């Protein structure tokens, strides 16, 4: 077989097609054969040359297509000189919740409790990249301009990421609107106690919308008679 002269282009095509299929059909209902058929001119061997499994494709889609977009949003907010530290922090989380492509994807993605690699990939990306590069500088800026009063910046950054990516994640903890409000009320009180009173009305409303959408998708995926397909 001839050597592929443009492996980067091949990988990019695989990821673009896979993301489209994951959004249209859901991750569980998309097979490697579906991806091959959609690509048209690549064999199964060519795909496995770049990715060991469908889960590896999922990880690459997250890392190169979704998380990169989140960081672009964060960078736009962090460099906005019109905002103080508290306003930047609130805007960062609101922008993340309003990221429709990411929301659609994670609604189509597998149950994270059954796909721990995806869950850890998301958390690792947040703690390794978002925390030190975006959250911590904004927390320090808020301390400097007086809009925040956070004594332990690094620890507060880690706590925010764990809460927003784990405890408030409706894909990990499906919740009714009432449960979502109770959970947000508790988190708001908890964060205020460490100088992070940042949960405003707009952020809470966006979270409720996101939670309701995730709950609806989960109910649909568990509908009687629907059978999930593997690879």
């Amino acid at each position: 077989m001839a050597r592929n002269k443009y492996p980067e282009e091949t990988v990019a095509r695989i990821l673009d097609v896979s993301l489209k299929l994951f959004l249209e059909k859901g991750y569980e209902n998309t097979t490697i054969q579906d991806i091959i058929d959609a690509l048209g001119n690549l064999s199964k061997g060519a795909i496995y040359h770049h990715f060991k499994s469908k889960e590896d494709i999922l990880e690459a889609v997250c890392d190169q297509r979704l998380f990169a977009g989140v960081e672009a949003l964060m960078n736009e907010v962090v460099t906005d000189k019109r905002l103080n530290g508290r306003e930047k922090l609130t805007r960062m989380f609101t922008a993340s919740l309003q990221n429709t492509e990411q929301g659609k994807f994670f609604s189509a993605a597998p149950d994270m409790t059954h796909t721990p690699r995806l869950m850890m990939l998301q958390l690792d990306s947040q703690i390794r990249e978002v925390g030190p590069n975006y959250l911590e500088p904004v927390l320090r800026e808020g301390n400097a301009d007086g809009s925040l009063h956070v004594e332990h910046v690094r620890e507060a950054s880690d706590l925010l990421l764990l809460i927003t990516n784990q405890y408030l994640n409706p894909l990990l903890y499906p919740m009714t609107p009432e449960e979502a409000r109770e959970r947000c009320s508790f988190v708001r009180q908890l964060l205020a106690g460490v100088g992070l009173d940042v949960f405003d009305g707009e952020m809470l409303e966006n979270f409720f919308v996101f939670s309701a959408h995730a709950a609806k998708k989960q109910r649909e995926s568990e509908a009687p008679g629907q059978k999930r397909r593997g690879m």
Side-chain angles (χ1 to χ4, degrees):
M1 184 173 67
R3 185 179 180 85
N4 184 0
K5 295 182 179 180
Y6 307 102
E8 296 86 0
E9 292 182 10
T10 299
V11 169
R13 284 188 60 219
I14 293 171
L15 296 183
D16 289 340
V17 166
S18 298
L19 175 57
K20 183 174 184 291
L21 288 172
F22 292 160
L23 289 172
E24 290 176 351
K25 304 180 64 172
Y27 172 82
E28 300 289 358
N29 294 322
T30 300
T31 66
I32 289 291
Q33 189 60 51
D34 290 331
I35 296 172
I36 293 169
D37 292 343
L39 286 165
N41 61 349
L42 281 182
S43 66
K44 182 177 290 189
I47 290 181
Y48 281 119
H49 175 73
H50 297 286
F51 300 100
K52 295 179 181 179
S53 66
K54 188 176 72 168
E55 193 169 320
D56 279 348
I57 296 176
L58 176 67
E59 290 188 10
V61 165
C62 290
D63 192 42
Q64 299 182 35
R65 293 294 184 270
L66 297 175
F67 297 158
V70 171
E71 291 181 15
L73 285 172
M74 297 291 183
N75 188 61
E76 182 179 342
V77 173
V78 168
T79 56
D80 191 338
K81 296 182 179 180
R82 299 168 298 177
L83 306 175
N84 62 31
R86 184 187 184 281
E87 290 168 336
K88 287 182 179 181
L89 191 61
T90 300
R91 191 73 60 86
M92 286 165 67
F93 285 106
T94 299
S96 180
L97 286 170
Q98 291 176 336
N99 185 344
T100 55
E101 287 304 309
Q102 181 174 259
K104 289 178 184 177
F105 175 77
F106 280 111
S107 294
D111 184 341
M112 284 190 174
T113 59
H114 297 146
T115 314
R117 285 175 63 189
L118 174 60
M119 183 170 62
M120 291 308 300
L121 177 71
Q122 181 192 21
L123 185 58
D124 178 68
S125 172
Q126 295 288 309
I127 291 178
R128 181 167 42 84
E129 301 291 340
V130 175
N133 295 328
Y134 301 101
L135 275 184
E136 290 179 31
V138 166
L139 292 176
R140 292 191 178 93
E141 183 178 340
N143 282 342
D145 64 33
S147 61
L148 295 172
H149 305 281
V150 181
E151 184 176 355
H152 304 285
V153 169
R154 183 175 182 181
E155 291 75 14
S157 172
D158 288 346
L159 178 64
L160 275 171
L161 291 172
L162 286 169
I163 286 175
T164 54
N165 286 281
Q166 304 288 318
Y167 187 69
L168 290 181
N169 189 337
L171 301 178
L172 283 175
Y173 298 97
M175 57 192 90
T176 65
E178 293 76 16
E179 290 170 337
R181 291 182 187 279
E182 284 296 319
R183 189 161 288 221
C184 280
S185 177
F186 168 71
V187 167
R188 186 174 189 175
Q189 183 179 3
L190 176 67
L191 293 179
V194 294
L196 287 169
D197 187 14
V198 295
F199 270 44
D200 63 10
E202 182 183 7
M203 185 192 297
L204 292 174
E205 187 59 35
N206 281 311
F207 174 71
F208 297 145
V209 170
F210 181 72
S211 297
H213 180 69
K216 179 182 178 183
K217 285 292 184 180
Q218 185 180 52
R219 288 195 300 270
E220 290 173 352
S221 69
E222 295 174 351
Q226 180 172 351
K227 184 177 180 180
R228 288 189 167 188
R229 293 159 52 196
M231 287 180 57

